PDB file of all heavy atoms in Angstrom:
ATOM      1  N   ASP A  88     -12.932 -24.578-125.209  1.00  0.00           N
ATOM      2  CA  ASP A  88     -13.621 -23.326-125.564  1.00  0.00           C
ATOM      3  C   ASP A  88     -13.786 -22.428-124.332  1.00  0.00           C
ATOM      4  O   ASP A  88     -13.523 -21.216-124.401  1.00  0.00           O
ATOM      5  CB  ASP A  88     -14.990 -23.627-126.181  1.00  0.00           C
ATOM      6  CG  ASP A  88     -14.859 -24.262-127.541  1.00  0.00           C
ATOM      7  OD1 ASP A  88     -14.245 -23.652-128.437  1.00  0.00           O
ATOM      8  OD2 ASP A  88     -15.371 -25.378-127.721  1.00  0.00           O
ATOM      9  N   ASP A  89     -14.210 -23.033-123.224  1.00  0.00           N
ATOM     10  CA  ASP A  89     -14.419 -22.233-122.008  1.00  0.00           C
ATOM     11  C   ASP A  89     -13.104 -21.652-121.505  1.00  0.00           C
ATOM     12  O   ASP A  89     -13.054 -20.510-121.060  1.00  0.00           O
ATOM     13  CB  ASP A  89     -15.064 -23.089-120.904  1.00  0.00           C
ATOM     14  CG  ASP A  89     -16.532 -23.390-121.179  1.00  0.00           C
ATOM     15  OD1 ASP A  89     -17.100 -22.789-122.129  1.00  0.00           O
ATOM     16  OD2 ASP A  89     -17.113 -24.216-120.462  1.00  0.00           O
ATOM     17  N   PHE A  90     -12.035 -22.442-121.592  1.00  0.00           N
ATOM     18  CA  PHE A  90     -10.736 -21.953-121.100  1.00  0.00           C
ATOM     19  C   PHE A  90     -10.258 -20.776-121.941  1.00  0.00           C
ATOM     20  O   PHE A  90      -9.809 -19.754-121.407  1.00  0.00           O
ATOM     21  CB  PHE A  90      -9.705 -23.070-121.101  1.00  0.00           C
ATOM     22  CG  PHE A  90      -8.344 -22.587-120.647  1.00  0.00           C
ATOM     23  CD1 PHE A  90      -8.071 -22.371-119.311  1.00  0.00           C
ATOM     24  CD2 PHE A  90      -7.358 -22.310-121.589  1.00  0.00           C
ATOM     25  CE1 PHE A  90      -6.828 -21.895-118.899  1.00  0.00           C
ATOM     26  CE2 PHE A  90      -6.108 -21.833-121.191  1.00  0.00           C
ATOM     27  CZ  PHE A  90      -5.842 -21.624-119.843  1.00  0.00           C
ATOM     28  N   VAL A  91     -10.365 -20.905-123.248  1.00  0.00           N
ATOM     29  CA  VAL A  91      -9.906 -19.814-124.124  1.00  0.00           C
ATOM     30  C   VAL A  91     -10.740 -18.558-123.885  1.00  0.00           C
ATOM     31  O   VAL A  91     -10.214 -17.440-123.808  1.00  0.00           O
ATOM     32  CB  VAL A  91      -9.945 -20.248-125.604  1.00  0.00           C
ATOM     33  CG1 VAL A  91      -9.732 -19.063-126.539  1.00  0.00           C
ATOM     34  CG2 VAL A  91      -8.875 -21.313-125.861  1.00  0.00           C
ATOM     35  N   ALA A  92     -12.055 -18.737-123.725  1.00  0.00           N
ATOM     36  CA  ALA A  92     -12.919 -17.574-123.451  1.00  0.00           C
ATOM     37  C   ALA A  92     -12.526 -16.921-122.127  1.00  0.00           C
ATOM     38  O   ALA A  92     -12.446 -15.681-122.029  1.00  0.00           O
ATOM     39  CB  ALA A  92     -14.375 -18.012-123.430  1.00  0.00           C
ATOM     40  N   GLN A  93     -12.267 -17.734-121.106  1.00  0.00           N
ATOM     41  CA  GLN A  93     -11.896 -17.183-119.799  1.00  0.00           C
ATOM     42  C   GLN A  93     -10.535 -16.490-119.884  1.00  0.00           C
ATOM     43  O   GLN A  93     -10.331 -15.434-119.284  1.00  0.00           O
ATOM     44  CB  GLN A  93     -11.863 -18.302-118.750  1.00  0.00           C
ATOM     45  CG  GLN A  93     -11.662 -17.784-117.333  1.00  0.00           C
ATOM     46  CD  GLN A  93     -11.878 -18.863-116.274  1.00  0.00           C
ATOM     47  OE1 GLN A  93     -12.670 -19.775-116.459  1.00  0.00           O
ATOM     48  NE2 GLN A  93     -11.181 -18.754-115.154  1.00  0.00           N
ATOM     49  N   ALA A  94      -9.630 -17.071-120.632  1.00  0.00           N
ATOM     50  CA  ALA A  94      -8.300 -16.455-120.798  1.00  0.00           C
ATOM     51  C   ALA A  94      -8.410 -15.111-121.498  1.00  0.00           C
ATOM     52  O   ALA A  94      -7.781 -14.123-121.082  1.00  0.00           O
ATOM     53  CB  ALA A  94      -7.377 -17.400-121.580  1.00  0.00           C
ATOM     54  N   ALA A  95      -9.220 -15.061-122.553  1.00  0.00           N
ATOM     55  CA  ALA A  95      -9.391 -13.796-123.280  1.00  0.00           C
ATOM     56  C   ALA A  95     -10.015 -12.744-122.360  1.00  0.00           C
ATOM     57  O   ALA A  95      -9.563 -11.587-122.334  1.00  0.00           O
ATOM     58  CB  ALA A  95     -10.248 -14.023-124.520  1.00  0.00           C
ATOM     59  N   ALA A  96     -11.033 -13.160-121.587  1.00  0.00           N
ATOM     60  CA  ALA A  96     -11.691 -12.228-120.667  1.00  0.00           C
ATOM     61  C   ALA A  96     -10.730 -11.756-119.573  1.00  0.00           C
ATOM     62  O   ALA A  96     -10.829 -10.633-119.083  1.00  0.00           O
ATOM     63  CB  ALA A  96     -12.914 -12.884-120.038  1.00  0.00           C
ATOM     64  N   ALA A  97      -9.758 -12.614-119.229  1.00  0.00           N
ATOM     65  CA  ALA A  97      -8.788 -12.264-118.184  1.00  0.00           C
ATOM     66  C   ALA A  97      -7.684 -11.360-118.717  1.00  0.00           C
ATOM     67  O   ALA A  97      -6.834 -10.901-117.950  1.00  0.00           O
ATOM     68  CB  ALA A  97      -8.172 -13.541-117.597  1.00  0.00           C
ATOM     69  N   GLY A  98      -7.667 -11.110-120.040  1.00  0.00           N
ATOM     70  CA  GLY A  98      -6.703 -10.167-120.591  1.00  0.00           C
ATOM     71  C   GLY A  98      -5.572 -10.775-121.371  1.00  0.00           C
ATOM     72  O   GLY A  98      -4.643 -10.064-121.766  1.00  0.00           O
ATOM     73  N   VAL A  99      -5.601 -12.095-121.613  1.00  0.00           N
ATOM     74  CA  VAL A  99      -4.542 -12.695-122.422  1.00  0.00           C
ATOM     75  C   VAL A  99      -4.665 -12.143-123.841  1.00  0.00           C
ATOM     76  O   VAL A  99      -5.718 -12.221-124.474  1.00  0.00           O
ATOM     77  CB  VAL A  99      -4.652 -14.237-122.447  1.00  0.00           C
ATOM     78  CG1 VAL A  99      -3.566 -14.837-123.351  1.00  0.00           C
ATOM     79  CG2 VAL A  99      -4.518 -14.803-121.027  1.00  0.00           C
ATOM     80  N   ARG A 100      -3.572 -11.557-124.330  1.00  0.00           N
ATOM     81  CA  ARG A 100      -3.627 -10.905-125.630  1.00  0.00           C
ATOM     82  C   ARG A 100      -3.112 -11.796-126.762  1.00  0.00           C
ATOM     83  O   ARG A 100      -3.475 -11.606-127.909  1.00  0.00           O
ATOM     84  CB  ARG A 100      -2.804  -9.623-125.593  1.00  0.00           C
ATOM     85  CG  ARG A 100      -3.368  -8.569-124.677  1.00  0.00           C
ATOM     86  CD  ARG A 100      -2.738  -7.215-124.950  1.00  0.00           C
ATOM     87  NE  ARG A 100      -1.420  -7.091-124.373  1.00  0.00           N
ATOM     88  CZ  ARG A 100      -1.194  -6.679-123.118  1.00  0.00           C
ATOM     89  NH1 ARG A 100      -2.201  -6.397-122.330  1.00  0.00           N
ATOM     90  NH2 ARG A 100       0.025  -6.557-122.670  1.00  0.00           N
ATOM     91  N   ARG A 101      -2.237 -12.729-126.433  1.00  0.00           N
ATOM     92  CA  ARG A 101      -1.610 -13.528-127.508  1.00  0.00           C
ATOM     93  C   ARG A 101      -1.646 -15.012-127.143  1.00  0.00           C
ATOM     94  O   ARG A 101      -1.238 -15.378-126.033  1.00  0.00           O
ATOM     95  CB  ARG A 101      -0.177 -13.077-127.700  1.00  0.00           C
ATOM     96  CG  ARG A 101       0.554 -13.841-128.789  1.00  0.00           C
ATOM     97  CD  ARG A 101       1.941 -13.295-129.024  1.00  0.00           C
ATOM     98  NE  ARG A 101       1.926 -11.946-129.539  1.00  0.00           N
ATOM     99  CZ  ARG A 101       3.014 -11.262-129.885  1.00  0.00           C
ATOM    100  NH1 ARG A 101       4.208 -11.813-129.746  1.00  0.00           N
ATOM    101  NH2 ARG A 101       2.925 -10.045-130.358  1.00  0.00           N
ATOM    102  N   PHE A 102      -2.103 -15.822-128.083  1.00  0.00           N
ATOM    103  CA  PHE A 102      -2.171 -17.262-127.897  1.00  0.00           C
ATOM    104  C   PHE A 102      -1.304 -17.946-128.957  1.00  0.00           C
ATOM    105  O   PHE A 102      -1.461 -17.682-130.155  1.00  0.00           O
ATOM    106  CB  PHE A 102      -3.607 -17.787-128.087  1.00  0.00           C
ATOM    107  CG  PHE A 102      -4.590 -17.351-127.033  1.00  0.00           C
ATOM    108  CD1 PHE A 102      -5.033 -16.037-126.956  1.00  0.00           C
ATOM    109  CD2 PHE A 102      -5.095 -18.270-126.126  1.00  0.00           C
ATOM    110  CE1 PHE A 102      -5.946 -15.637-125.991  1.00  0.00           C
ATOM    111  CE2 PHE A 102      -6.009 -17.889-125.149  1.00  0.00           C
ATOM    112  CZ  PHE A 102      -6.437 -16.576-125.075  1.00  0.00           C
ATOM    113  N   VAL A 103      -0.415 -18.823-128.525  1.00  0.00           N
ATOM    114  CA  VAL A 103       0.309 -19.691-129.455  1.00  0.00           C
ATOM    115  C   VAL A 103      -0.130 -21.116-129.159  1.00  0.00           C
ATOM    116  O   VAL A 103      -0.003 -21.603-128.028  1.00  0.00           O
ATOM    117  CB  VAL A 103       1.841 -19.556-129.285  1.00  0.00           C
ATOM    118  CG1 VAL A 103       2.566 -20.568-130.174  1.00  0.00           C
ATOM    119  CG2 VAL A 103       2.279 -18.141-129.629  1.00  0.00           C
ATOM    120  N   VAL A 104      -0.696 -21.787-130.171  1.00  0.00           N
ATOM    121  CA  VAL A 104      -1.312 -23.108-129.995  1.00  0.00           C
ATOM    122  C   VAL A 104      -0.465 -24.159-130.691  1.00  0.00           C
ATOM    123  O   VAL A 104      -0.121 -24.008-131.876  1.00  0.00           O
ATOM    124  CB  VAL A 104      -2.740 -23.109-130.601  1.00  0.00           C
ATOM    125  CG1 VAL A 104      -3.335 -24.510-130.566  1.00  0.00           C
ATOM    126  CG2 VAL A 104      -3.640 -22.132-129.863  1.00  0.00           C
ATOM    127  N   LEU A 105      -0.154 -25.223-129.948  1.00  0.00           N
ATOM    128  CA  LEU A 105       0.538 -26.366-130.553  1.00  0.00           C
ATOM    129  C   LEU A 105      -0.487 -27.330-131.147  1.00  0.00           C
ATOM    130  O   LEU A 105      -1.394 -27.790-130.450  1.00  0.00           O
ATOM    131  CB  LEU A 105       1.380 -27.109-129.518  1.00  0.00           C
ATOM    132  CG  LEU A 105       2.092 -28.374-130.029  1.00  0.00           C
ATOM    133  CD1 LEU A 105       3.089 -28.057-131.135  1.00  0.00           C
ATOM    134  CD2 LEU A 105       2.780 -29.110-128.877  1.00  0.00           C
TER     135      LEU A 105
END
Side-chain angles (χ1 to χ4, degrees):
D88 291 302
D89 287 350
F90 178 77
V91 169
Q93 188 170 329
V99 178
R100 294 195 282 273
R101 180 176 295 183
F102 292 71
V103 175
V104 174
L105 176 62

